[in-house]
Amino acid sequence: VVVGAGIIGATLAYLLAVEGFDVILLEKESVGRGATGHGHGIISLIGKDFRPGAHLALGALSAAMYKDFCARVQEDGGVDPMYHELPAINFAVVEEEAQIFRDFLGREDAKALIDAHWVDVDECREVEPLLTEDAIGGVIHTHGQVDAYKLALSAVAAFEHYGGRMRTGEAVGVARTGDRVTGVEHRRGRIDCEHVVLAAGAWMGEAADWLGFPVPVRPLHGEVLLTRLAGDPVRAFILTG
């Protein structure tokens, strides 16, 4: 049983079904209803998100797989996840942002894994003229973006194509026999199984009470502002610190 039909749960369920496992995907509301359906889908490694060493290396390997993986999911699931790549600018408007980006570029693992370099404001504006002149500079590189909601939809369709089954219900506990988990309890019953994958995203911390140990995950509040610019679309992904 995979709990949670966001981008992680949906793609995990799909890959398990492809390998021949009998999988049930349990979702309390609808596919991609949580953070998956509200994120920007940027696949960027620049900044503070990835710790030095193995963490960044894993991120780089994952980013390199995205294009082919999205094509595979689209072929099996029939929904275009809209993966695309563009030049990108991590734009520093204040000194704190500039320091974050310079620190990252100075890391040995970043130098080895990522083709990126610092440029001044004029060079940033050559790539995207809509950027303000009142800034410090930025990091130029290339990365991808995906519509995570559509990728989750396609993954679930592909999962069902390979024999997977989806059920609606809110997980409220796990059943145990001795020291083994033997099922998932939800508000309308129980699903017996040999293995459980908990992929409830930002809400996974709520499982701490019924798992019996801390789950150091909590939702992070954010806001998304959608705007329509006059003229041509921007030429690059623009991110700040």
Side-chain angles (χ1 to χ4, degrees):
V1 175
V2 176
V3 177
I7 188 65
I8 300 299
T11 53
L12 278 172
Y14 160 64
L15 291 171
L16 288 168
V18 168
E19 293 299 319
F21 289 92
D22 181 14
V23 184
I24 292 175
L25 180 59
L26 182 66
E27 165 57 42
K28 71 175 182 179
E29 294 182 353
S30 59
V31 177
R33 175 66 176 79
T36 291
H38 297 84
H40 50 54
I42 291 291
I43 305 163
S44 175
L45 304 172
I46 306 295
K48 300 192 296 184
D49 290 339
F50 289 88
R51 296 184 297 275
H55 194 208
L56 181 63
L58 178 61
L61 286 171
S62 299
M65 295 170 60
Y66 242 95
K67 182 178 181 179
D68 290 342
F69 179 70
C70 286
R72 176 182 170 189
V73 174
Q74 181 180 351
E75 181 177 355
D76 287 342
V79 180
D80 182 2
M82 300 180 68
Y83 178 83
H84 58 291
E85 296 179 357
L86 287 175
I89 303 172
N90 284 74
F91 198 52
V93 178
V94 298
E95 185 57 42
E96 181 182 0
E97 294 171 326
Q99 192 60 52
I100 289 171
F101 297 147
R102 289 183 179 124
D103 288 347
F104 179 83
L105 292 176
R107 286 168 39 180
E108 292 302 319
D109 58 344
K111 294 176 184 177
L113 292 168
I114 301 171
D115 182 12
H117 59 280
W118 176 266
V119 296
D120 61 22
V121 174
D122 290 339
E123 291 178 271
C124 289
R125 298 188 74 248
E126 287 178 9
V127 177
E128 179 44 70
L130 291 175
L131 288 172
T132 178
E133 297 177 0
D134 186 16
I136 299 170
V139 179
I140 297 286
H141 59 117
T142 299
H143 64 72
Q145 183 180 31
V146 68
D147 186 321
Y149 175 65
K150 290 186 176 181
L151 180 55
L153 288 179
S154 196
V156 170
F159 158 72
E160 293 178 330
H161 170 75
Y162 280 96
R165 293 164 289 157
M166 185 169 176
R167 294 189 187 177
T168 302
E170 181 179 0
V172 294
V174 290
R176 294 181 173 88
T177 299
D179 61 354
R180 287 193 58 80
V181 171
T182 55
V184 175
E185 298 170 347
H186 57 92
R187 295 200 181 277
R188 292 183 293 177
R190 166 176 161 170
I191 305 172
D192 292 326
C193 60
E194 296 182 8
H195 306 282
V196 178
V197 178
L198 300 177
W203 291 267
M204 201 63 257
E206 297 176 5
D209 290 341
W210 41 269
L211 287 174
F213 54 81
V215 179
V217 176
R218 61 182 178 84
L220 176 65
H221 176 74
E223 295 181 353
V224 177
L225 174 65
L226 298 178
T227 63
R228 185 182 298 276
L229 297 174
D232 295 331
V234 294
R235 304 173 186 175
F237 297 127
I238 309 297
L239 295 89
T240 61

